[in-house]
Amino acid sequence: MKMKPQSHIQSLINLLSNKNNIVIEKDKRTISFERLTVSVCFILHKGNIAAFRPDDQLLMRYASAPIIIGINEFIDFNHQFIIQANGEIAYELIPLEEVMKRVESLNLWENLSYILMYNMKLMVNDHSKAVGRGTYEIIRSSIIELMAQTDDIKTKINACDYIQSRTNISRSRIMSILKDLKEGGYIDIEKGRLININQLPLKY
């Protein structure tokens, strides 16, 4: 599987960014874009974030710097996401129109195409994990997804909280399945934090 196109993301950020516009935000602070009058792109220079769906607070995903979100004229980023800092972060907002003009003038289409392909891969992965799946299969996918997060994220979030925020499955059901998986030796959990996956059964 292709990994995050780090070099393409960083190259694009380097050519778009103005260090005077970088903002430092504290842990747990929420950043909303709904009141902005122009569409913007969000650049994360440092740290980790959680992106939530505004209407129901469903966790869309965690992400680590460097990332660029919002380079899409067909998706209204301002109303699609609420960002929450997971630890101290450094970020920057750039009007989408300005970003597209600079991509055109500096011929940054290759960098942009890799970023868009990566974002599409993430969307397809999310879709395949949720559509037509049973409760256990969704929880199983969420456990694997959590295990793949950076240590900074894994050590800060409770496994049950993560799964519930990603799926809206009832807390009691999630806790019951996690308890059975732990007792069966399939996963290692300490103080609610996922430590290791030994071997997850396909069926529950």
Side-chain angles (χ1 to χ4, degrees):
M1 180 182 293
K2 294 289 186 181
M3 304 300 288
K4 180 178 178 180
Q6 197 95 353
S7 61
H8 290 285
I9 295 172
Q10 193 61 62
S11 293
L12 191 57
I13 289 176
N14 291 343
L15 293 167
L16 294 174
S17 179
N18 180 343
K19 65 180 181 180
N20 295 322
N21 294 331
I22 296 175
V23 177
I24 306 299
E25 197 60 270
K26 295 180 180 179
D27 183 32
K28 302 300 183 185
R29 291 297 296 271
T30 298
I31 307 165
S32 177
F33 312 97
E34 290 183 308
R35 295 185 179 181
L36 298 179
T37 57
V38 297
S39 297
V40 296
C41 294
F42 175 89
I43 296 178
L44 183 66
H45 292 277
K46 173 189 174 184
N48 304 298
I49 60 164
F52 295 89
R53 195 164 62 190
D55 56 349
D56 60 2
Q57 299 299 306
L58 185 75
L59 174 65
M60 303 300 289
R61 77 174 44 258
Y62 278 96
S64 301
I67 58 166
I68 307 177
I69 305 174
I71 310 182
N72 194 319
E73 294 184 330
F74 296 94
I75 298 176
D76 183 6
F77 167 74
N78 292 27
H79 295 83
Q80 293 292 327
F81 298 100
I82 293 175
I83 302 297
Q84 185 181 70
N86 186 33
E88 184 178 272
I89 64 170
Y91 76 93
E92 181 178 1
L93 298 180
I94 305 178
L96 175 59
E97 183 178 358
E98 180 182 331
V99 170
M100 296 311 297
K101 285 180 178 178
R102 298 192 71 180
V103 167
E104 176 71 33
S105 63
L106 298 175
N107 194 27
L108 303 176
W109 295 109
E110 180 180 1
N111 293 322
L112 179 57
S113 67
Y114 271 90
I115 293 170
L116 294 177
M117 286 189 286
Y118 175 68
N119 289 340
M120 179 61 72
K121 180 179 83 84
L122 296 179
M123 290 178 64
V124 170
N125 286 348
D126 286 346
H127 184 78
S128 65
K129 291 173 185 175
V131 176
R133 304 291 185 180
T135 298
Y136 171 71
E137 292 171 304
I138 294 173
I139 291 175
R140 181 181 185 275
S141 293
S142 298
I143 293 171
I144 294 171
E145 182 182 88
L146 175 57
M147 194 66 211
Q149 299 291 346
T150 64
D151 289 340
D152 283 345
I153 293 173
K154 282 188 293 187
T155 56
K156 289 182 178 180
I157 189 166
N158 178 282
C160 182
D161 291 344
Y162 177 85
I163 296 169
Q164 188 174 35
S165 63
R166 280 286 279 155
T167 65
N168 281 340
I169 296 172
S170 71
R171 188 173 188 85
S172 60
R173 183 60 172 154
I174 296 169
M175 289 291 290
S176 175
I177 290 177
L178 289 178
K179 178 176 178 290
D180 289 344
L181 290 174
K182 179 180 179 181
E183 291 178 350
Y186 298 107
I187 58 174
D188 297 327
I189 291 183
E190 294 181 8
K191 297 181 179 179
R193 272 55 177 176
L194 180 65
I195 305 300
N196 189 45
I197 295 176
N198 299 315
Q199 184 177 0
L200 284 172
L202 294 175
K203 301 293 181 181
Y204 178 69

